[in-house]
Amino acid sequence: MPAVPAYPVDLRPCIPVLMAGQHHVFAMGELLIEAHRIDDVVLPLPPANSALLRILTAITAELTGLDDANLSLDQWHERRSDLLTSGRPLNARAVHDYFEAAGMDLYDPHRPFLQDPSLAEQCTKTSGINKLVFGRPAGNALAWLSPHTDTAPRPVPSDEAFWHLLIQHYYGDAGRCTTRSAGPHKSGRGTAGPLRSTLSFHPQGATLLETLLLHQFPYHGGPRNHPDTCPWQEPHPPDPVNPPPPVTWSKRLLTGRSRHAVLLVPNADGSAATDAYVTWATQHPAYPATDPYLIIDTRPSGKTEQRDQPRRADADRSLWRDLDALLLAGDEGSGHRRPAVFDTLNDLPTETRARLRVRVYGFDQDGRSISRLWYTALTPPQWNLAEQHDPPTARRIAACRQAAEHLAVLLRTHANIAWRQTCTPAATDDEPAASRRRRPPSRWAREALALYWPGAEQEFWGLVNHPTDETSDPYTAFTRTAVAALRQAARPDLVRHRMAGPALARAVRALSAATAPASPASRRKKKAARHAQP
């Protein structure tokens, strides 16, 4: 009898880790048993790392009892503090029992891990292995930078197929997909994954176990009409016909919001995936839910469904520009809310808080099918500078970041005006402000901003780490940086365009005269003064 292909991720080494300065590869079960000795998980694909941390967090919550909805907030914090300070590893027997009950075989014929076996019958054809793998062209897409084609698809080793399976569930495309027929639903269109195009922030401790404990968050109440389980703990495969189970706290919030259904097709021995089905998981609208590792930008004046939006990943945006959004608690007037998990970090043991860093995972994508770039970064220990522990420094960080952003807007505006006056001497700078904001950046503006932001980052850290005066105005430092960037960007054109010099001089004068924008409070006072009765 031929062997049945199998690849249990809880038993087969598939997760690269860093331990004592050395790289190793662990199975998921061994990973959790040794989590107190592992420094970090280091999957080579940042979106897969982001997804894996959510899965490991959900499992750890159950293994440690931190998912107990009956714990009061004080009891929950006390239990987590005890786990952080005791140094105890996770119970190896409990880990073994969990995975034995869960079943995490990628190629199990009845319950393949994170997959839907019914796709083999409900889809008329496969999607192709290239559709599964991010970075490979699939279908009619042009193979600009990749040798892969659908006419000669190359199998994917099972460990890599597992990584891309994670990415599909969390960051998958919207729009056209393989047609699926399930009950009354027959469609070839799906919706985007819950983390698509987002920037994800993860507290990181000294070990993987400490990191997973820092990822925990207490139950916030609300109805629980459905058991809080992960998809692999459900008694039946996913149901594509009826509405998905409601988002419960915390396991289904972290692992049960996928909009995609996937089924891998293995080779004979299970060492690789040779094909795949990738299609929609449900045609019902997604339940409202806020991922606890995302910054939420708030727009009070926007439409109800658009007021709260996760901060988008942008490969052109330096990550230090998001630091104040983590350190400040935020309010209705701040325009953002920090990730909910950071609200639970203020009661940490002092030693843990002092070494806490933040790992950032970004996947720059559009809302549908274009993926531009993924990236990751790790901050130095900064949590002691949070508003709850060092309010002056936290406010200074926010003021410096806001000054840098304001000067960048002015730099773009005045560089655009100067470029127009250089190329079109008759042009004036009396264009309405709204039109100026909609105008795309000119060559001077693009080059000046590319020079400005690295210099602004140096100024930022200098102002934060070596403040000569807590009340000093950071606008002077960023103005110098903006002026220097504009001069350098315009220098090659000074000898080629007769009007470049005068236009540059006017732009420099305008930038040098820049001041901080009025605060909302001061604007309200001015407005009230204008309307006051004489």
Side-chain angles (χ1 to χ4, degrees):
M1 178 180 293
V4 177
Y7 195 92
V9 297
D10 57 317
L11 300 176
R12 298 283 291 272
C14 58
I15 302 175
V17 304
L18 187 66
M19 186 168 67
Q22 301 291 322
H23 286 271
H24 303 270
V25 182
F26 284 170
M28 196 181 294
E30 184 183 11
L31 179 85
L32 288 173
I33 292 173
E34 299 293 334
H36 63 293
R37 299 174 56 228
I38 295 172
D39 299 329
D40 197 8
V41 290
V42 288
L43 294 180
L45 311 179
N49 235 353
S50 171
L52 179 65
L53 281 173
R54 287 170 167 83
I55 290 175
L56 294 176
T57 298
I59 296 174
T60 303
E62 182 167 335
L63 293 174
T64 58
L66 290 172
D67 64 336
D68 187 351
N70 295 318
L71 290 177
S72 68
L73 189 60
D74 289 339
Q75 290 172 327
W76 187 92
H77 280 289
E78 183 178 352
R79 177 174 293 186
R80 184 171 70 166
S81 294
D82 176 64
L83 291 166
L84 285 167
T85 56
S86 68
R88 295 191 304 270
L90 294 176
N91 184 283
R93 171 50 59 184
V95 173
H96 175 78
D97 292 344
Y98 180 92
F99 285 108
E100 187 175 27
M104 293 189 171
D105 187 349
L106 288 183
Y107 305 129
D108 186 281
H110 305 292
R111 289 299 302 274
F113 181 54
L114 293 177
Q115 298 164 70
D116 189 339
S118 64
L119 298 188
E121 299 177 354
Q122 295 174 352
C123 296
T124 57
K125 62 179 181 178
T126 63
S127 308
I129 192 64
N130 292 345
K131 180 66 175 177
L132 173 78
V133 180
F134 281 76
R136 288 189 183 184
N140 294 325
L142 297 177
W144 293 111
L145 301 174
S146 171
H148 300 280
T149 67
D150 281 346
T151 57
R154 299 181 185 178
V156 182
S158 291
D159 56 346
E160 297 181 24
F162 172 51
W163 307 340
H164 287 280
L165 176 66
L166 296 178
I167 301 176
Q168 288 287 350
H169 281 300
Y170 286 86
Y171 296 88
D173 297 348
R176 190 77 182 100
C177 62
T178 297
T179 301
R180 178 185 191 183
S181 298
H185 304 296
K186 181 178 182 180
S187 176
R189 304 195 71 83
T191 51
L195 299 184
R196 186 169 182 84
S197 74
T198 60
L199 193 61
S200 191
F201 297 85
H202 299 260
Q204 181 155 325
T207 66
L208 175 59
L209 179 56
E210 186 171 284
T211 295
L212 295 177
L213 292 174
L214 294 174
H215 273 64
Q216 304 296 325
F217 45 95
Y219 180 59
H220 284 187
R224 270 198 171 179
N225 300 324
H226 192 281
D228 184 33
T229 55
C230 298
W232 54 87
Q233 296 177 304
E234 291 287 338
H236 304 291
D239 181 1
V241 177
N242 296 309
V247 178
T248 47
W249 201 281
S250 60
K251 293 194 280 290
R252 187 157 290 278
L253 175 65
L254 295 180
T255 66
R257 296 194 296 134
S258 175
R259 307 294 297 173
H260 290 75
V262 184
L263 180 63
L264 303 178
V265 179
N267 61 3
D269 62 0
S271 62
T274 60
D275 206 342
Y277 299 85
V278 182
T279 185
W280 55 268
T282 178
Q283 293 293 310
H284 296 277
Y287 291 112
T290 301
D291 187 277
Y293 309 109
L294 305 182
I295 291 176
I296 303 300
D297 290 321
T298 59
R299 301 176 179 85
S301 60
K303 296 180 180 179
T304 302
E305 64 275 10
Q306 298 176 344
R307 287 177 184 172
D308 293 345
Q309 294 292 329
R311 183 160 296 180
R312 295 180 64 88
D314 184 351
D316 295 328
R317 178 183 170 90
S318 301
L319 292 172
W320 63 269
R321 295 163 65 184
D322 297 310
L323 183 59
D324 63 318
L326 300 178
L327 300 182
L328 298 177
D331 53 34
E332 293 181 357
S334 64
H336 70 266
R337 297 197 309 271
R338 69 185 177 194
V341 70
F342 287 86
D343 293 334
T344 71
L345 302 181
N346 301 312
D347 297 323
L348 292 174
T350 304
E351 300 80 4
T352 305
R353 190 175 69 234
R355 60 176 175 256
L356 188 150
R357 297 177 292 173
V358 179
R359 173 71 71 180
V360 185
Y361 297 105
F363 198 176
D364 191 341
Q365 305 170 287
D366 73 350
R368 297 185 64 81
S369 60
I370 298 175
S371 296
R372 182 182 175 196
L373 185 72
W374 54 48
Y375 55 94
T376 184
L378 181 64
T379 72
Q382 295 286 339
W383 197 247
N384 281 336
L385 304 180
E387 186 175 21
Q388 292 85 346
H389 309 295
D390 191 347
T393 301
R395 288 194 292 267
R396 178 151 182 95
I397 287 173
C400 291
R401 198 274 305 168
Q402 291 165 3
E405 299 279 1
H406 181 59
L407 263 299
V409 172
L410 294 178
L411 175 59
R412 170 183 166 138
T413 297
H414 293 298
N416 275 347
I417 293 173
W419 177 250
R420 288 180 62 216
Q421 293 174 344
T422 297
C423 299
T424 311
T428 63
D429 60 356
D430 57 355
E431 183 181 17
S435 299
R436 288 200 300 266
R437 286 193 295 269
R438 289 195 297 267
R439 185 177 292 277
S442 62
R443 180 161 63 83
W444 278 11
R446 290 194 304 271
E447 295 179 5
L449 287 170
L451 295 166
Y452 169 77
W453 281 117
E457 182 172 6
Q458 294 182 3
E459 292 287 357
F460 172 82
W461 289 115
L463 289 165
V464 170
N465 295 328
H466 306 287
T468 56
D469 182 0
E470 289 286 348
T471 62
S472 61
D473 185 0
Y475 282 84
T476 301
F478 291 114
T479 297
R480 288 195 305 266
T481 303
V483 168
L486 180 57
R487 282 177 169 158
Q488 186 173 345
R491 184 176 295 121
D493 292 308
L494 294 178
V495 297
R496 293 198 289 260
H497 296 279
R498 179 172 60 88
M499 299 302 296
L504 175 62
R506 287 189 290 269
V508 168
R509 284 197 301 270
L511 281 173
S512 300
T515 58
S519 66
S522 63
R523 287 196 296 268
R524 287 194 295 270
K525 288 180 181 178
K526 289 181 180 179
K527 184 177 179 181
R530 287 198 303 268
H531 293 282
Q533 293 293 330

